[in-house]
Amino acid sequence: MKDREIEKLIKAESERQKNVVNLIASENYVSQDVLTALGSQLTNKYAEGYPGKRYYGGQSVVDKIEDLCKSRALKLFKLAPKNWHVNVQPLSGSPANVAVYVALVSPHGKIMGMSLDQGGHLTHGHKVSITGKFWNQVPYGVDKNTEVIDYDELKKLALENRPNIIVAGFTSYPRIVDFKKFRDIADACGAYLMVDMSHFAGLVAGDVYPSPFKYADVVTTTVHKTLRGPRSAMIFVKKDARDLPKLIDKAVFPGMQGGPHLNQIAAVAVALKEADTPAFKKYAERVVKNARSLAGELKSLGWKIISGGTDSHLVLIDTWMGGKGLSGKEASDRLEKAGIIVNKNTIPYETRSPFDPSGIRVGTAAETTRGAKEKEMIAIARKIDKILRKK
Ligand code: DSN
């Protein structure tokens, strides 16, 4: 690179990524092919609109790329093009979720989503996000004792509040979500069912987490977490009498965005092909096994694991333990000094501030990409225990 300053910083970040144990549950390491697509000449092209219906000339190549990406996305999740449509233009997860609400919920309508402190995402209607300012959130959470979703409570809440859309999905809920129960609840109150599978998309692709497609009207996902692609997102939408695909496409462009990032879409296509392989299935299996080993070892060392364990790639640890342990911030800072990267996280029924909460969230997607197995997970758990216990 001619720009030595940026070149140096990219190298430094690359080194940092190599030299740490990366337990950020939403991160991963992409392949060289994904990086090549991201850094290609495709970044030079404007392509407002959709394949075959663009506003500028010169679209012959990029139309093929976007169509290929869409067909790979449907194939990976075993969706017949006659039943499902996919939009691959969202720049990332938050705009994808907002586009769904723009399409399906009138201003000030109700979004029923998991509260941020119980495991949901900002864009599931939290008040500090645009999704809580333009729409009204009906928050739900987990049972105080079991720390898993109580579907009877959820149904009661939905029937009392009659939301326009129910969002199933999370950023820090370690368990399997019962999509059938969500569907029944959505039907009982006449709401759309949206699943945000950003965290577990790679696990669905690898058949180690239930697929939401049988039950949802709309499924959003980022591509860069367990799916191991570039920063990007997709919206899958059911084709039925309501013509939802048209509403979603219009909400993404021209509703929310201008020209799509074709370099990003090409990189998504590459990642989707990589995920459609037996090797990726093995990877997904290993991610969950690793998370179970990490959670199991931490638990046996005396740490409180929220919900008692995990069914996915992520583990939520109560480091505060009612004042007997460390705050999430101190735990995260101590671990970073020792080269283990995690994020501080609220735990259900949090009593502390989100800036210094009671827990940390860890995930196994990134380290599994680097080849870690149960043995390494147990060693990491022991190291975490040692660092956090030190007086
Ligand atoms: N930042 C992502 C996560 O860490 O889960 C969600 O946007």
Side-chain angles (χ1 to χ4, degrees):
M1 272 178 95
K2 286 205 187 83
D3 185 334
R4 295 283 178 222
E5 266 174 292
I6 288 293
E7 185 183 45
K8 214 170 130 194
L9 289 169
I10 293 174
K11 274 196 184 136
E13 172 58 13
S14 170
E15 281 306 305
R16 187 201 66 79
Q17 289 184 14
K18 270 187 217 144
N19 295 333
V20 296
V21 173
N22 183 2
L23 299 181
I24 302 275
S26 47
E27 292 183 5
N28 213 325
Y29 295 94
V30 299
S31 69
Q32 187 53 50
D33 283 3
V34 167
L35 292 178
T36 302
L38 276 176
S40 68
Q41 290 75 3
L42 293 167
T43 197
N44 300 332
K45 187 71 197 114
Y46 244 119
E48 276 154 320
Y50 291 100
K53 286 175 283 180
R54 307 279 194 191
Y55 287 82
Y56 304 156
Q59 308 292 341
S60 57
V61 178
V62 295
D63 272 10
K64 285 187 190 128
I65 290 173
E66 189 166 339
D67 279 336
L68 186 57
C69 184
K70 288 162 79 167
S71 62
R72 285 182 181 176
L74 294 176
K75 181 171 175 285
L76 178 64
F77 292 103
K78 305 180 187 75
L79 304 173
K82 71 175 189 334
N83 299 328
W84 283 86
H85 170 76
V86 61
N87 186 310
V88 295
Q89 294 194 0
L91 304 177
S92 205
S94 295
N97 287 352
V98 175
V100 174
Y101 308 140
V102 167
L104 305 182
V105 188
S106 307
H108 310 297
K110 293 181 189 170
I111 299 169
M112 183 161 165
M114 196 180 233
S115 338
L116 190 66
D117 65 324
Q118 306 249 330
H121 188 250
L122 283 167
T123 59
H124 297 173
H126 192 275
K127 63 178 189 297
V128 302
S129 138
I130 188 173
T131 63
K133 293 188 196 298
F134 287 14
W135 296 277
N136 294 308
Q137 190 192 36
V138 178
Y140 67 86
V142 297
D143 178 80
K144 202 164 185 172
N145 297 316
T146 60
E147 296 168 334
V148 297
I149 297 169
D150 176 340
Y151 293 92
D152 292 331
E153 269 306 306
L154 197 74
K155 185 168 184 179
K156 224 170 90 194
L157 195 66
L159 289 174
E160 272 165 23
N161 290 280
R162 302 251 158 209
N164 303 92
I165 194 165
I166 301 183
V167 184
F170 53 77
T171 62
S172 58
Y173 179 73
R175 294 304 190 171
I176 275 172
V177 171
D178 190 331
F179 300 119
K180 182 177 183 317
K181 287 194 175 140
F182 265 100
R183 174 77 264 166
D184 294 343
I185 295 167
D187 286 343
C189 64
Y192 289 111
L193 177 60
M194 163 177 155
V195 174
D196 178 349
M197 65 167 186
S198 295
H199 264 272
F200 51 90
L203 308 183
V204 173
D207 292 327
V208 292
Y209 195 93
S211 169
F213 290 98
K214 193 171 163 199
Y215 302 107
D217 299 300
V218 187
V219 176
T220 59
T221 186
T222 51
V223 187
H224 46 274
K225 298 183 175 91
T226 49
L227 200 45
R228 209 163 59 185
R231 304 297 299 247
S232 195
M234 305 186 282
I235 305 173
F236 295 87
V237 54
K238 203 180 238 170
K239 285 184 181 168
D240 61 17
R242 297 169 294 180
D243 214 1
L244 303 184
K246 199 168 161 193
L247 297 176
I248 296 289
D249 279 357
K250 275 173 84 174
V252 173
F253 172 83
M256 287 276 302
Q257 297 181 181
H261 298 180
L262 265 310
N263 58 324
Q264 195 182 13
I265 290 173
V268 171
V270 171
L272 292 169
K273 192 173 179 188
E274 289 172 356
D276 207 356
T277 56
F280 190 87
K281 189 170 164 33
K282 280 208 180 102
Y283 162 73
E285 281 164 10
R286 172 61 58 200
V287 166
V288 177
K289 269 191 200 155
N290 281 352
R292 289 204 168 118
S293 305
L294 189 62
E297 186 65 14
L298 285 166
K299 201 169 163 179
S300 73
L301 291 165
W303 294 96
K304 181 175 184 302
I305 305 300
I306 299 299
S307 85
T310 182
D311 304 319
S312 64
H313 63 303
L314 74 83
V315 181
L316 194 56
I317 307 157
D318 176 354
T319 51
W320 182 244
M321 298 194 297
K324 294 198 293 281
L326 293 177
S327 75
K329 183 177 182 312
E330 179 156 10
S332 157
D333 288 349
R334 272 200 200 181
L335 290 169
E336 179 152 2
K337 277 192 197 123
I340 299 177
I341 311 298
V342 305
N343 67 275
K344 56 178 183 267
N345 217 98
T346 53
I347 60 168
Y349 301 93
E350 181 60 71
T351 53
R352 299 173 55 80
S353 124
F355 298 105
D356 191 10
S358 301
I360 55 172
R361 183 187 68 164
V362 298
T364 53
E367 285 305 313
T368 307
T369 294
R370 301 169 93 191
K373 297 206 167 80
E374 277 129 311
K375 187 167 79 98
E376 285 79 19
M377 287 297 139
I378 287 169
I380 290 171
R382 289 181 183 162
K383 197 165 170 196
I384 290 176
D385 174 65
K386 208 167 150 195
I387 295 161
L388 299 190
R389 283 203 195 274
K390 225 177 183 167
K391 290 289 169 208

